[in-house]
Amino acid sequence: MSSVRWRELSKKGGLLHERKAPRNEIYCRLSARHRHPPPSSLVTEACVVRAEYLAHLSPRGRLSLAIVLLASIAATLWAVVHVWQTAPSRHIVLASGLEDGLLHQYAKRYIEILARSGVTIEERITNGAEDNLALLQDPKSGVDIGFTQGGLSQASDAKDVVMVASLYYVPLWIFYRKSEQLNYVNELRNRKVAIGVPGSGARSFSESVFALNGLTPDNVTMEPLSNLPALIALRSREVDAVVFVDGADNPAVWNALRDPTLSLLNFTRAEAYRRRLNFISTLKLPSGVIDLADHIPEKDIDLIGTKVMLASRKDLHPAITLLLVDAAREIHGRQGLFEEAGEFPGTAQVDLPVSTDADQHRRFGRTILYQYLPFWIAAWGERAIIILLPLAAILLPLFHYLPQLVRWHVRSRIYRWYGELALLERDVAARTGDLPRDKWEADLARIEEAVARIRTPAGFASEAYTLREHISLVRRAIVARGHSSPAEPREVTRVS
């Protein structure tokens, strides 16, 4: 309906439509025209308007709004508690190995490096790699990380254990007295062999290789001796051969390599072992690499070996995993007898599934937080971003559109009556014959009574007043039809 036509109808009806704008509406208009309104006044106005929205919401609307707000508060509290609970632990337990082995020496290095970041490592001495894997698979053991090696488990058998990184190669060293010539592993049949204590990586590796050569406890006496005690037993002729699975820096291996009375078995069929067992790597010990002056060894020796791994429980905090990868790079990243510089730590799968956090950290390095912030602050910040950013992406739009939803709710309560009023108006305009004035008046009174019960904030007063004025127009149309001929419909200006 045009404003000119509206004013004409208003004058004919004798109604006064010039009203004084509410104080809040005048203030809002003035504020909208002001280029730089005072910030405090804008905040106050926003608070007043939202308070009016709440005051005029129905009980059901208030309940819905309360549910939304409570859910938002609960989500925020959950996020804060989750960030707090998932903070990295300052104390972890490492399962290492025998005290006279390299794993114990490496454990000391990890303890030293992680202490720089405020993480305390408690070392638990074990018999070796197989024991360590069993402890990691036992949720009640209290062990968080441990050294293990290839060939002890398959990915399908691993229970909540992942590989953080592979660290270095460990050959299978088989030493025997020079007075006895050995060319193949199966020539150990009917002999005494020290293959390591139960739970050690040496014993597990030996049993796998022996099985390929038809050697079993029925035809080989397998003595549970490791490292220096095994070497002493070989020198004193208590055993015929010893098996070590460790780096060349192991004191027992180092002494055996320099002992002129002992020989090291050359694995001439090393490639065959690699083809049969996927965790085995072929290695070569070059001539003179141990001691060039004394020609140790005198010729190139082919060996087989596997990789030592640092494994952890699957639920180890990612921040601790990153520290372990950095420590492994510092300890094992240099060139060795069998390793190229930078080859380790590696995240290529050996047998255990690889930690996703460790693999990403090795490939992409430290995040910007860890580059410029202390470890603990960076760890907290990273977890907060991961949790709070998606939460903010949900809550901020929710609170942004909440006032609009409230406005739509208030206006819908006003506009819903325009439908019934338009139907009544069309009936009044088009009806012929007997006119049901009583019914029209009753319907109009019902609509007017319902509209009077609508509580609206000051910002929606104009819509409420306009609806009441339209009701007055329809009432005048009913009165006009009562004075006109009932046989002909009368033109009535429709409510727009």
Side-chain angles (χ1 to χ4, degrees):
M1 181 186 297
S2 67
S3 58
V4 175
R5 181 64 177 164
W6 172 251
R7 280 194 292 270
E8 290 177 358
L9 291 174
S10 299
K11 290 178 182 178
K12 290 179 182 179
L15 297 175
L16 178 63
H17 295 285
E18 294 293 332
R19 60 182 177 82
K20 185 177 180 181
R23 182 177 181 182
N24 286 347
E25 184 177 343
I26 295 173
Y27 176 77
C28 291
R29 290 175 181 174
L30 291 176
S31 298
R33 294 172 185 173
H34 202 287
R35 289 188 177 181
H36 304 287
S40 60
S41 64
L42 290 178
V43 174
T44 303
E45 179 185 355
C47 294
V48 170
V49 171
R50 292 182 182 182
E52 289 179 345
Y53 290 159
L54 296 177
H56 291 85
L57 281 177
S58 64
R60 184 177 179 180
R62 293 180 186 178
L63 178 61
S64 301
L65 182 59
I67 292 174
V68 172
L69 292 176
L70 288 176
S72 303
I73 294 172
T76 303
L77 291 176
W78 172 86
V80 173
V81 171
H82 189 69
V83 170
W84 179 270
Q85 289 181 342
T86 56
S89 173
R90 293 179 179 267
H91 177 271
I92 57 176
V93 178
L94 165 65
S96 57
L98 296 170
E99 290 189 58
D100 59 349
L102 282 183
L103 294 180
H104 174 57
Q105 301 303 319
Y106 284 132
K108 292 180 178 179
R109 294 291 309 280
Y110 280 92
I111 292 172
E112 175 189 347
I113 293 174
L114 264 69
R116 301 173 195 165
S117 299
V119 178
T120 302
I121 295 182
E122 175 189 341
E123 182 186 7
R124 185 174 297 182
I125 301 295
T126 66
N127 282 342
E130 190 171 9
D131 273 359
N132 297 345
L133 182 60
L135 290 171
L136 287 171
Q137 291 176 330
D138 181 6
K140 298 180 181 179
S141 68
V143 172
D144 301 296
I145 58 176
F147 297 116
T148 184
Q149 69 184 41
L152 299 180
S153 175
Q154 296 298 322
S156 58
D157 300 331
K159 297 179 180 179
D160 299 325
V161 178
V162 294
M163 182 188 81
V164 175
S166 56
L167 306 178
Y168 58 95
Y169 292 109
V170 282
L172 181 72
W173 313 87
I174 299 181
F175 290 97
Y176 57 94
R177 288 183 293 275
K178 267 188 178 179
S179 57
E180 302 178 15
Q181 186 63 33
L182 292 179
N183 295 313
Y184 302 104
V185 174
N186 59 6
E187 293 177 1
L188 294 173
R189 186 184 302 268
N190 301 321
R191 297 174 184 263
K192 273 188 177 183
V193 183
I195 65 169
V197 296
S200 65
R203 190 178 188 92
S204 175
F205 199 175
S206 300
E207 289 174 347
S208 299
V209 172
F210 283 10
L212 291 178
N213 288 274
L215 302 180
T216 66
D218 296 331
N219 53 36
V220 175
T221 303
M222 301 181 186
E223 296 292 336
L225 297 173
S226 295
N227 297 333
L228 289 175
L231 181 59
I232 293 172
L234 178 62
R235 286 171 173 170
S236 63
R237 297 182 175 271
E238 296 177 21
V239 295
D240 300 305
V242 295
V243 178
F244 300 130
V245 178
D246 209 344
D249 292 334
N250 180 298
V253 176
W254 190 257
N255 286 319
L257 287 169
R258 291 177 171 274
D259 192 330
T261 66
L262 301 180
S263 292
L264 175 62
L265 180 66
N266 184 20
F267 283 83
T268 56
R269 299 184 293 185
E271 182 62 23
Y273 287 99
R274 189 183 71 83
R275 299 283 181 173
R276 294 295 300 275
L277 299 174
N278 60 3
F279 62 87
I280 285 182
S281 302
T282 56
L283 306 172
K284 184 179 289 293
L285 188 67
S287 174
V289 73
I290 301 299
D291 193 322
L292 284 169
D294 293 336
H295 308 290
I296 302 175
E298 295 180 354
K299 60 180 181 179
D300 291 352
I301 298 179
D302 292 319
L303 298 171
I304 61 172
T306 188
K307 295 177 182 178
V308 170
M309 299 177 286
L310 179 61
S312 73
R313 293 190 57 79
K314 195 174 183 179
D315 57 0
L316 184 69
H317 197 282
I320 301 297
T321 299
L322 306 189
L323 283 181
L324 292 172
V325 174
D326 289 340
R329 184 180 291 113
E330 180 177 341
I331 298 171
H332 309 286
R334 293 171 295 181
Q335 180 176 319
L337 291 181
F338 305 102
E339 301 85 11
E340 298 294 336
E343 183 179 0
F344 293 99
T347 52
Q349 186 173 4
V350 180
D351 44 27
L352 293 174
V354 180
S355 165
T356 304
D357 297 312
D359 184 47
Q360 291 180 348
H361 183 60
R362 183 186 178 278
R363 288 190 294 161
F364 304 113
R366 291 190 168 201
T367 63
I368 191 170
L369 292 179
Y370 287 98
Q371 291 178 14
Y372 296 101
L373 295 175
F375 169 73
W376 291 104
I377 297 178
W380 275 80
E382 187 175 61
R383 300 303 293 173
I385 290 174
I386 293 174
I387 296 172
L388 297 180
L389 191 60
L391 190 61
I394 297 173
L395 293 182
L396 289 180
L398 177 63
F399 283 106
H400 174 73
Y401 289 108
L402 186 61
Q404 299 182 30
L405 293 174
V406 173
R407 284 194 293 271
W408 171 83
H409 177 72
V410 173
R411 282 174 174 163
S412 66
R413 291 188 297 164
I414 297 173
Y415 293 156
R416 66 183 293 264
W417 293 107
Y418 272 105
E420 291 195 37
L421 191 61
L423 290 175
L424 179 59
E425 178 196 21
R426 283 195 288 271
D427 189 24
V428 172
R431 181 67 69 96
T432 60
D434 295 335
L435 302 178
R437 288 188 56 190
D438 293 340
K439 179 179 180 303
W440 289 345
E441 292 287 352
D443 290 343
L444 192 64
R446 177 178 56 81
I447 294 173
E448 188 173 28
E449 182 181 356
V451 171
R453 289 198 300 267
I454 298 176
R455 300 172 58 191
T456 57
F460 299 95
S462 59
E463 284 89 342
Y465 284 128
T466 302
L467 177 57
R468 294 189 184 102
E469 290 164 352
H470 287 167
I471 291 174
S472 298
L473 284 176
V474 175
R475 175 173 284 110
R476 289 199 297 274
I478 293 174
V479 173
R481 284 301 309 272
H483 294 94
S484 64
S485 173
E488 297 180 359
R490 181 171 178 175
E491 181 182 356
V492 177
T493 303
R494 295 174 181 269
V495 177
S496 59

